[in-house]
Amino acid sequence: MQATGNGNQGCYLASISDELGNLLLSLANGVNPFFADDIEHHQAELEGDAIEADIKASALENTEKLQLVKSRRGQGLFRSNLEAIEPACRVTGVTNKALLIASHIKPWSKCDNNTERLDGNNGLLLSPHIDKLFDRGWITFTDAGDLLCAEPSIEQALLQWGINLPSNVGIFSPKQAKFLSYHRDIIFRANPAVCA
């Protein structure tokens, strides 16, 4: 930066120190508390895009490539496999599948193999607002189906949406529980506490 506040075009896209980067992130977080969350979400999307590009460039058959790419977007074989297991949004009860998102429990970009990416047990059909909370790690579930919230503000949002707390959405199968364990350990943002 120049003393005038203008950028120095002579060093466009130059690297900066970790300290300066952390300072900029903390200042941005002061303006938008969800800034770091947005950056993390975009990073996950970029990782998923890179994996998708690798799949497209691979020696797999075109139909298999198409199914894997569609699974990342919650369509195709993954969604069909998921709909055979989950008939509705576990939280809202919405059954109209056109209004539900086929959400991976263990994120697509973090799956160890193509089998995990297409496994219906690695998914939940969720209403869009519930999907966002789940995808970002603001909520998760115990194997017994208890809804867990990362913080009180999430509980407040759920109450404002008319979702009574505490909430139990029904027991998950052992195969789903394996993926939910990953979600609780890696994606969920807080120490588990049942939403009150």
Side-chain angles (χ1 to χ4, degrees):
M1 301 290 286
Q2 298 175 346
T4 62
N6 293 330
N8 183 351
Q9 296 299 315
C11 64
Y12 182 69
L13 293 179
S15 64
I16 59 174
S17 68
D18 288 344
E19 293 80 15
L20 179 56
N22 289 331
L23 174 63
L24 290 172
L25 286 174
S26 68
L27 291 172
N29 234 12
V31 175
N32 175 2
F34 300 105
F35 178 77
D37 183 44
D38 291 341
I39 294 292
E40 189 177 302
H41 180 71
H42 290 302
Q43 181 63 34
E45 282 292 313
L46 289 173
E47 289 173 10
D49 290 345
I51 293 169
E52 188 175 310
D54 289 345
I55 288 169
K56 289 179 179 177
S58 73
L60 297 171
E61 294 291 326
N62 283 337
T63 52
E64 189 174 356
K65 287 180 190 180
L66 182 61
Q67 284 305 325
L68 289 170
V69 169
K70 281 185 173 183
S71 78
R72 177 170 182 257
R73 299 174 186 155
Q75 306 172 43
L77 188 56
F78 168 69
R79 186 174 185 107
S80 297
N81 292 341
L82 174 55
E83 288 178 355
I85 298 166
E86 293 286 313
C89 174
R90 292 259 188 151
V91 178
T92 64
V94 171
T95 57
N96 183 340
K97 296 206 172 65
L99 303 177
L100 300 175
I101 294 174
S103 184
H104 281 83
I105 297 171
K106 182 177 182 181
W108 191 91
S109 63
K110 304 299 182 192
C111 288
D112 298 330
N113 54 49
N114 295 334
T115 303
E116 284 187 343
R117 290 185 177 123
L118 296 175
D119 188 346
N121 292 294
N122 183 21
L124 296 171
L125 286 176
L126 298 172
S127 297
H129 57 308
I130 302 302
D131 172 69
K132 181 160 188 165
L133 294 179
F134 185 76
D135 187 51
R136 299 286 180 95
W138 293 112
I139 64 169
T140 195
F141 305 96
T142 67
D143 296 348
D146 292 321
L147 175 63
L148 306 177
C149 294
E151 61 181 52
S153 66
I154 301 305
E155 292 179 20
Q156 183 63 34
L158 290 167
L159 290 170
Q160 289 172 327
W161 289 332
I163 297 166
N164 296 321
L165 300 173
S167 179
N168 184 286
V169 300
I171 195 165
F172 291 93
S173 73
K175 290 179 181 179
Q176 290 173 306
K178 179 185 87 167
F179 291 110
L180 281 170
S181 176
Y182 178 94
H183 191 271
R184 284 190 304 272
D185 294 344
I186 306 299
I187 308 298
F188 190 53
R189 296 175 176 267
N191 293 327
V194 176
C195 294

